[in-house]
Amino acid sequence: MPLSENDHFDVAVVGAGAAGLGAALRLAASSARFCVLEARTRAGGRAYTLTDTPYPIDLGCGWLHSADRNPLVPLTENRGYTIDRTLPAWGTQTLDLGFSAADQQDYHAASDRLYARYANFGVDEPDVPSSALLEPGCRWNPLLDAVSTYLSGAALDRVSARDNQNYHDTGVNWRVIEGYGRVLADFWPALPLRLGCAVLAIDHSGAKVRIETNEGMLTASAVIITLPTNLLAREAIRFSPPLPDKIEAAAALPLGFADKVLMALDQAEDWPVDGHLFGSITQTDTGSYHLRPFGRPLIEGYFGGALAADLEARGPGAFFDFAVSELCQLLGNTMRHRLKLVVETAWGQDPLAMGSYSYALPGHADARACLAEPVDQRLFFAGEACSSHAFSTAHGAFETGDQAALQAITALRDPIAAKAMTPR
Ligand SMILES: Cc1cc2nc3c(=O)[nH]c(=O)nc-3n(C[C@H](O)[C@H](O)[C@H](O)COP(=O)(O)OP(=O)(O)OC[C@H]3O[C@@H](n4cnc5c(N)ncnc54)[C@H](O)[C@@H]3O)c2cc1C
């Protein structure tokens, strides 16, 4: 049924990703009348588990980062899903292939020193590109850069050092056997979600906020906007009056590239369960390979930054070809016949994501707080990019949605108290 201006809600949530879910669960626990508008024909956004494959495959988020304090862990378990607490082998090299134990130790020491420099980066020091904190000439710089492309979706010279300093990670990472995306998708049937409903414009000039969608117009007292920054920056939603500060903040928090390729592995038992390989330890353009995740006969390749952007641009099969060539170098040419493409992603080409997760450009770490700041106590912003400390993650997105909904509920009930609320 098309929407009409008679459709009035206390709160309208735009986007049914992890942030939209955080907002919706909070609103559902209140007396607010609300709806969630989602442009896709599915919920989840960048959290998406493929379930029509022999094993569930997370195309977006897969790891419950900071799992020992991740609010999605209890939600997952309460829902009856199974968490695998095996810690990732990132940073190690199975069988020391092309990366001796001594070199791995040396690399880890260089990585620890880089993280110590983030931690000690003075609050009064001007922000710099993270690459400025590398030791000049250190042999591990290309590999540290490769890891930055996995973590931030961009190499260190693109990423603010202050932003990296602000990221809090307990170092505990778990997975959901049935799929992270599947858990998040499980909540939606009980929530007022409208799929296939793209918000085109938000007019906040009058007493009610008017929301124009491809399915008609509705009004709301408050709106929670959870769009990925690349869409906000390109003004996928027209605001009137315009919100140039938000557009600028979103542009300073671009979504980097991170993509996966899943490959079926013949005679998988030859390789250890949950092993890990870097494709190369001397170049930034390399993949990170997770061998036999959950013991399944698969390899998951992970690519970030300029390499992922380039492979996306080359078209279907490019991630697979690149992965096979790196794995043949490491494991021998027989790998060519033992690997079969299951699926590869291209998040940068997804028109409703336009990238994978946000990083702050050097000098712009404060853009996150700016983006998260409510407008007139009735437009609220949420999404991974709004998180002060867990940006780029699903649980960080979820927390911002929850916070934005709390702010909206407070604003509806008590506008004066809402103004006094501290920003996220
Ligand atoms: C390859 C990859 C691996 C990742 N790995 C991890 C991981 O291991 N752990 C982790 O925690 N995180 C990971 N992430 C990041 C995590 O998936 C995201 O940070 C999180 O899901 C973002 O949630 P969100 O709600 O902020 O945004 P989104 O999920 O993007 O939700 C925004 C929603 O808004 C919708 N939308 C867009 N425009 C409109 C419009 N005009 N009208 C209505 N709806 C609209 C979109 O369709 C989308 O559903 C990964 C991401 C990728 C891509």
Side-chain angles (χ1 to χ4, degrees):
M1 218 172 64
L3 291 160
S4 92
E5 283 200 59
N6 296 331
D7 288 315
H8 180 78
F9 296 89
D10 295 323
V11 185
V13 180
V14 185
L21 180 63
L25 290 180
R26 174 65 65 180
L27 290 164
S30 77
S31 56
R33 186 162 182 266
F34 74 102
C35 64
V36 183
L37 310 170
E38 168 55 53
R40 296 180 198 264
T41 51
R42 64 166 178 84
R46 285 171 273 165
Y48 182 34
T49 307
L50 276 191
T51 50
D52 59 354
T53 38
Y55 307 95
I57 290 174
D58 275 313
L59 296 182
C61 54
W63 291 91
L64 291 149
H65 295 310
S66 295
D68 47 346
R69 63 167 190 223
N70 182 324
L72 296 172
V73 167
L75 284 185
T76 300
E77 291 192 312
N78 291 343
R79 210 82 187 170
Y81 290 101
T82 329
I83 291 184
D84 182 327
R85 288 173 161 75
T86 310
L87 298 179
W90 304 325
T92 68
Q93 191 82 345
T94 290
L95 307 175
D96 299 338
L97 280 168
F99 197 6
S100 71
D103 274 354
Q104 287 181 56
Q105 224 178 354
D106 200 37
Y107 160 71
H108 286 130
S111 174
D112 290 348
R113 292 196 297 277
L114 174 62
Y115 280 87
R117 283 191 288 277
Y118 288 136
N120 296 327
F121 190 49
V123 280
D124 297 328
E125 281 183 65
D127 194 9
V128 289
S130 296
S131 52
L133 302 192
L134 288 170
E135 288 159 11
C138 174
R139 65 192 281 231
W140 301 116
N141 288 350
L143 190 53
L144 291 168
D145 229 359
V147 170
S148 170
T149 70
Y150 313 140
L151 299 178
S152 305
L156 291 163
D157 62 341
R158 303 270 307 151
V159 182
S160 146
R162 181 77 62 215
D163 205 42
N164 269 333
Q165 180 184 44
N166 289 343
Y167 184 77
H168 295 180
D169 185 3
T170 66
V172 180
N173 300 283
W174 298 336
R175 288 164 296 165
V176 189
I177 292 184
E178 298 86 351
Y180 202 163
R182 174 145 176 235
V183 174
L184 301 189
D186 197 28
F187 290 90
W188 285 107
L191 296 165
L193 169 65
R194 198 171 174 112
L195 293 174
C197 184
V199 172
L200 308 171
I202 294 179
D203 178 349
H204 56 114
S205 61
K208 294 175 181 174
V209 182
R210 297 174 79 239
I211 304 165
E212 183 191 334
T213 79
N214 61 334
E215 301 204 318
M217 188 78 89
L218 68 151
T219 63
S221 303
V223 185
I224 298 174
I225 298 130
T226 74
L227 258 59
T229 48
N230 281 3
L231 294 173
L232 285 174
R234 283 166 181 75
E235 304 194 50
I237 293 181
R238 287 186 319 279
F239 290 96
S240 51
L243 299 175
D245 291 356
K246 297 296 182 193
I247 308 304
E248 202 180 307
L253 301 167
L255 264 59
F257 282 81
D259 280 303
K260 298 181 184 179
V261 59
L262 268 295
M263 298 164 282
L265 174 63
D266 199 22
Q267 296 170 302
E269 49 298 339
D270 287 357
W271 306 108
V273 169
D274 285 319
H276 175 265
L277 292 171
F278 286 113
S280 160
I281 57 166
T282 56
Q283 60 190 45
T284 301
D285 285 352
T286 190
S288 160
Y289 300 94
H290 185 164
L291 311 181
R292 300 185 63 196
F294 302 105
R296 294 168 184 160
L298 297 169
I299 295 181
E300 178 185 294
Y302 205 88
F303 310 88
L307 173 64
D310 177 47
L311 293 174
E312 279 198 17
R314 286 194 213 173
F319 285 103
F320 178 65
D321 291 346
F322 186 89
V324 169
S325 130
E326 283 206 311
L327 290 169
C328 283
Q329 290 276 328
L330 286 169
L331 306 174
N333 269 331
T334 57
M335 290 309 284
R336 197 168 298 284
H337 312 290
R338 292 171 66 174
L339 291 168
K340 277 203 182 61
L341 175 62
V342 178
V343 64
E344 51 187 19
T345 65
W347 284 100
Q349 293 180 18
D350 179 328
L352 292 167
M354 302 185 82
S356 299
Y357 29 82
S358 67
Y359 61 94
L361 293 172
H364 294 280
D366 54 356
R368 298 198 186 276
C370 178
L371 186 61
E373 187 70 30
V375 175
D376 296 335
Q377 291 306 320
R378 57 197 197 137
L379 299 188
F380 299 88
F381 288 79
E384 55 87 7
C386 293
S387 172
S388 57
H389 63 283
F391 42 84
S392 77
T393 70
H395 71 281
F398 182 87
E399 287 171 338
T400 63
D402 178 60
Q403 274 295 313
L406 255 179
Q407 289 179 322
I409 292 164
T410 310
L412 290 172
R413 282 197 195 130
D414 185 351
I416 295 168
K419 270 199 178 128
M421 274 181 80
T422 45
R424 275 160 278 154

